[in-house]
């Protein structure tokens, strides 16, 4: 770059000067560059200029593509240049060496025919008189430019050095602009700036931009480079590892070592082609991974799971019905209907090769033998048995597994059970299917449905396993305490078998024949050493347990066994003495129970209590079987409010309302004053904790308790009842009759009132239950009152006045109205 010589100044502006229109380039003062001229008009202008004063005006044309621009197509501001030399090229073009001198404004076109001749003037302010401001800006710009050069290595080093060395701010600005401004418009705009300071600011701004862009580019480049390096390094290391493994004989090629073993196991597992392909693919992936990496562990676990679930191993079904009958009898007492039903099921299974039959569902209170029946079925058929509980399962993933992307993911419980069973046709028992709930984590019931449904379970999809698994040979048995919380679609696919609970007599037989021998054996005792008599067993049943099943009974027996074992161990020192002691019959009667089990836990309520006004006994059906439900009512002076305490559900409140409405409808006959209910508060309390689930059916009991309290006539304590009530006092049918009657028997009730509509259900109730009870079907509340109150309404109490006086005074029945006799 040569510093411009002194400009010819305005003098030159007086004579017309040739003009070269430039395509794609804007010439700056100070620029030193060859120019190739091809257009005849331009060649003429160049030659004229060269022959005269070697000065030519250069101005960019607005559109570079234009071949023959008119004056309006040429920018008004250009640069005057001096021609160093010109050289004719063989193709007729001319190469001219030009040096930019100063900014000029074209003031007019003199000729634009055979060549452009223009008048021009130096651009105002273009005298490059740099101000102090421009000087300080110069310093900044220089530093930035140096930075820019470092980032942008495209600029040749010496050119960069030359530019940095320029002392004159104006020339410096132009030189920098010539190197960094690329777009034609930008360059032209810069050319049009006469003022040095403005130009300086412009290049500073431009440099800052360029530097920023350069820095970003460099960062990106570095990142890409690093990534490339890493993947190259990984590739290199993996290759090396393979080589090392090959050396050690662990490589896939050798088919020795761990991977070879896995491959062989996969091929031998009996998987379907699809699953096998998936397992092999995963193995290939595993081989590529560095050992002990997190990814490798996940992959390895997955392959292990695929290998651990059974694909072809199975047991051969024993469908011999006589054999099954024998086993069921061996393991369980009674339950004849249930056993028959199971045998029928097995029989059909025998006839139909692949039965798409319903799933068995055992419903009943805890401890009635649901699980052990399942085990017996498995034993009878020669199948493996696994069970898991669904109680509290809310998350679909517990059934169907977590996707492998989760850390610590596992298959769902069904696939886990299959692994545990180790055969593809086990009996799987799903306990507590009535306790499945669903929330935002998906619906486990629908996953269960897919597993249980014979139509679709040949391709069960576990999220972890990712491949379809065939569950069609599995025999599913479910258990539940009650039916009403089982999701409907599940219930539809199940064949429900009720196991209601046992009478005391049955419990005694179960204890004697099964539980006792089992526990005696488990505790290393003998029948002689622990000869417990029936009296003692019955006492345990009645006073130490109160349950529908026999679980606690078994626990109490186990507890006695433990203590007897301890006694024996403590009192015998030699082996001989021990075996002699084991053979000596030591009988254990009811009187000894206190020593082993402590004070009785359940007293005979009836014997202790007395007939009371306002207290009636209902019968409820809960998840734990039947139970009795004491309802206490008291009448207080008040404003017609209901106070309900104890665990009363909404249904119970409605029953109480209905009972009150009934009493009001009979108020005349009962001799109660009109509007009596507005002067009293009725407090109803149900002390015992059992929360009835299927509606307590306590309408009759509530009405009885309330009537008894209002009329102050005690209720017979040996009478219990069940049934809802209509507003007119009719008794409505109830469910769970067997369980309720069993509970009544357990509690020592003598008379049970049941709705007339339930009379036909009595056929279902075992005779030994019915024998102990007087069961009276009733149509309406009037019948209940007649039987359950110690004396009829209206009749005078013979005994001394019962307690609770306060209300009685105010509510003393008025003289009974003559009305139709009470039935
Ligand atoms: P559930 O699954 O209904 O809660 P389990 O099957 O666990 O009850 O039974 C509890 C215990 O009672 C087991 O030891 C079982 O063998 C025993 N049991 C229950 N019913 C009978 C029966 N009818 N005969 C013999 N044992 C029984």
């Amino acid at each position: 770059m040569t510093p411009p010589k002194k400009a010819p100044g305005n003098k030159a502006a007086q004579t017309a000067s040739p003009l070269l229109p430039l395509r794609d380039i804007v010439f700056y003062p100070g620029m030193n560059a060859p120019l190739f001229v091809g257009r005849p008009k331009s060649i003429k202008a160049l030659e004229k200029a060269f022959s005269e004063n070697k000065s030519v005006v250069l101005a960019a044309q607005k559109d570079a593509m234009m071949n023959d621009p008119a004056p309006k197509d040429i920018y008004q501001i250009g640069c005057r240049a001096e021609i160093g030399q010109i050289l004719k090229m063989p193709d007729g073009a001319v190469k001219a060496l030009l040096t930019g001198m100063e900014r000029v404004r074209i003031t007019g076109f003199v000729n634009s025919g055979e060549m452009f001749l223009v008048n021009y003037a130096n651009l105002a302010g273009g005298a490059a008189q740099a101000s102090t401001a421009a000087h300080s800006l110069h310093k900044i710009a220089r530093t930035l430019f140096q930075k820019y050069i470092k980032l942008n290595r495209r600029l040749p080093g010496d050119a960069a050095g030359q530019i940095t060395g320029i002392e004159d701010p104006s020339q410096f600005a132009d030189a920098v602009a010539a190197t960094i401004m690329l777009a034609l418009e930008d360059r032209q705009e810069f050319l049009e700036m006469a003022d040095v300071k403005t130009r300086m600011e412009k290049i500073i701004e431009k440099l800052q931009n360029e530097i920023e862009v350069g820095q970003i580019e460099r960062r990106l480049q570095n990142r890409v480079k690093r990534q490339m390096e890493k993947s190259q390094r990984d590739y290199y290391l993996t290759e090396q590892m393979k080589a090392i493994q090959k050396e050690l004989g662990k490589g896939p090629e050798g088919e020795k070592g761990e991977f070879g073993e896995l491959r062989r196991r996969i091929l031998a597992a009996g998987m379907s082609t699809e699953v096998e392909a998936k397992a092999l693919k995963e193995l290939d992936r595993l081989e590529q991974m560095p050992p002990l990496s997190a990814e490798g562990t996940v992959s390895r676990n997955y392959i292990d799971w695929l290998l651990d679930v059974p694909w072809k191993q199975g047991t051969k079904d024993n469908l011999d019905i006589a054999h099954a009958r024998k086993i069921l009898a061996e393991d369980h007492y009674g339950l004849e209907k249930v056993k028959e039903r199971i045998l029928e099921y097995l029989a059909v299974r025998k006839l139909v090769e692949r039965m798409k039959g319903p799933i068995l569902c055992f419903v009943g209170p805890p401890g009635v033998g649901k699980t052990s029946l399942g085990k017996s079925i498995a034993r009878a058929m020669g199948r493996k048995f696994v069970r898991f509980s669904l109680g509290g399962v809310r998350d679909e993933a517990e059934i169907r597994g977590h996707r492998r992307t989760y850390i610590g993911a596992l298959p769902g419980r069904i696939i886990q059970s299959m692994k545990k069973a180790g055969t593809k046709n086990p009996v799987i028992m799903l306990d507590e299917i009535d306790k499945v709930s669903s929330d935002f984590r998906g619906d486990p019931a629908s996953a269960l449905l897919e597993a249980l449904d014979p139509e679709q379970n040949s391709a069960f999809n576990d999220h972890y396993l990712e491949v379809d698994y065939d569950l069609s040979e599995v025999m599913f048995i479910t258990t539940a305490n009650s039916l009403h919380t089982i999701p409907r679609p599940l219930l539809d696919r199940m064949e429900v078998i009720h196991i209601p609970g046992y009478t005391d007599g049955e419990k005694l037989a179960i204890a004697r024949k099964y539980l006792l021998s089992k526990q005696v054996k488990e505790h290393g005792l003998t029948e002689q050493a622990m000869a417990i008599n029936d009296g003692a067993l019955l006492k345990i049943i009645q006073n130490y347990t109160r349950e529908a099943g026999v679980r606690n009974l078994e626990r109490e027996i186990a507890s006695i066994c433990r203590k007897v074992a301890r006694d024996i161990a403590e009192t015998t020192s030699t082996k001989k003495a021990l075996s002699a002691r084991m053979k000596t019959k030591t009988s254990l009667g009811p009187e000894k129970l206190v020593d082993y089990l402590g004070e009785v836990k359940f007293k005979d309520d009836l014997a202790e209590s007395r007939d009371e006004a306002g207290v009636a006994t209902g019968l409820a059906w809960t998840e734990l079987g039947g139970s009795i439900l004491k309802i206490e009512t008291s009448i207080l002076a008040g404003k017609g409010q209901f106070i309900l305490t104890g665990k009363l559900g909404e249904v119970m409140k409605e029953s109480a309302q209905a009972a009150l409405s009934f009493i009001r409808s009979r108020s005349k006959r009962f001799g109660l004053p009109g509007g009596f209910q507005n002067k009293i508060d009725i407090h109803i309390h149900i002390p015992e904790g059992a929360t009835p689930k299927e509606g307590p059916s306590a309408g009759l009991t509530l009405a009885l308790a309330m009537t008894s309290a209002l009329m102050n006539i005690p209720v017979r304590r040996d009478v219990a009842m069940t049934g809802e009530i209509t507003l007119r006092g009719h008794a409505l049918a109830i469910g769970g009759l067997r369980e309720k009657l069993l509970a009544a028997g357990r509690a020592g009730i003598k008379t049970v009132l049941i709705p007339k509509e339930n009379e036909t259900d009595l056929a279902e109730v075992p005779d030994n239950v019915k024998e102990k009870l007087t069961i009276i079907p009733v149509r309406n509340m009037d019948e209940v009152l007649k039987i359950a109150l110690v004396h009829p309404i209206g009749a005078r109490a013979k005994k001394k006045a019962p307690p609770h006086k306060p209300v009685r005074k105010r509510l003393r029945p008025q003289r009974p109205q003559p009305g139709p006799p009470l039935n």
Side-chain angles (χ1 to χ4, degrees), residues 350-590:
K350 186 173 181 175
L351 302 186
V352 185
E353 194 49 21
R354 271 205 165 201
M355 191 166 96
K356 296 206 162 174
I359 300 131
L360 289 181
C361 174
F362 296 145
V363 180
V368 291
K370 301 184 292 297
T371 313
S372 65
L373 273 171
K375 279 188 196 154
S376 288
I377 294 177
R379 188 157 86 92
M381 294 177 80
R383 288 186 175 212
K384 288 270 166 58
F385 178 83
V386 267
R387 63 181 280 231
F388 67 90
S389 173
L390 293 166
V393 168
R394 289 151 181 265
D395 189 349
E396 188 183 345
E398 286 197 49
I399 306 295
R400 217 197 269 281
H402 282 287
R403 298 205 179 277
R404 254 194 302 153
T405 39
Y406 287 100
I407 295 179
L410 277 182
R413 301 234 196 141
I414 301 226
I415 294 297
Q416 291 185 28
S417 302
M418 294 310 295
K419 173 180 167 183
K420 212 158 141 198
T423 56
K424 63 185 171 136
N425 62 343
V427 172
I428 295 188
M429 181 163 250
L430 308 173
D431 275 334
E432 302 195 306
I433 196 155
D434 52 336
K435 307 280 192 305
V436 177
S437 51
S438 64
D439 63 10
F440 61 94
R441 283 167 292 194
D443 183 7
S446 66
L448 269 181
L449 202 60
E450 195 189 315
L452 297 184
D453 190 347
E455 295 298 330
Q456 41 179 329
N457 71 4
S458 56
F460 176 69
N461 189 279
D462 184 276
H463 288 331
Y464 179 86
L465 232 46
E466 283 177 2
V467 288
D468 286 346
Y469 188 83
D470 183 1
L471 291 172
S472 62
E473 289 181 57
V474 178
M475 178 172 180
F476 286 104
I477 301 178
T478 60
T479 77
N481 290 139
S482 75
L483 283 182
H484 67 279
T485 51
I486 302 182
R488 190 75 221 182
L490 270 178
L491 191 56
D492 285 346
R493 280 173 182 70
M494 298 194 290
E495 161 127 13
V496 174
I497 298 182
H498 283 283
I499 309 181
Y502 301 113
T503 61
D504 289 355
E506 285 169 330
K507 285 184 189 174
L508 184 62
I510 293 173
R512 169 91 28 239
K513 295 204 179 99
Y514 297 85
L515 307 182
L516 201 55
S517 45
K518 192 159 116 196
Q519 291 304 328
V520 161
K521 207 190 263 163
E522 271 177 25
H523 288 85
L525 296 167
T526 56
E527 301 272 344
Q528 285 96 333
M530 178 126 172
I532 185 166
N533 68 21
D534 281 0
L537 282 178
L538 213 56
K539 191 164 165 94
I540 302 176
I541 291 166
Q542 287 169 344
N543 296 125
Y544 287 89
T545 63
R546 182 151 292 179
E547 56 177 349
V550 291
R551 192 171 287 169
N552 289 330
L553 175 58
E554 187 170 17
R555 210 171 285 152
E556 298 294 341
I557 292 176
S559 159
I560 298 180
C561 288
R562 266 199 313 277
K563 292 194 171 120
V564 170
R566 193 179 131 188
D567 279 356
I568 294 178
E570 277 175 358
T571 51
T572 50
S573 48
T574 63
K575 246 188 173 174
K576 209 172 149 206
L578 184 68
S579 83
R581 174 71 179 76
M582 285 294 182
K583 284 182 193 134
T584 335
K585 184 166 175 178
T586 327
S587 66
L588 208 159

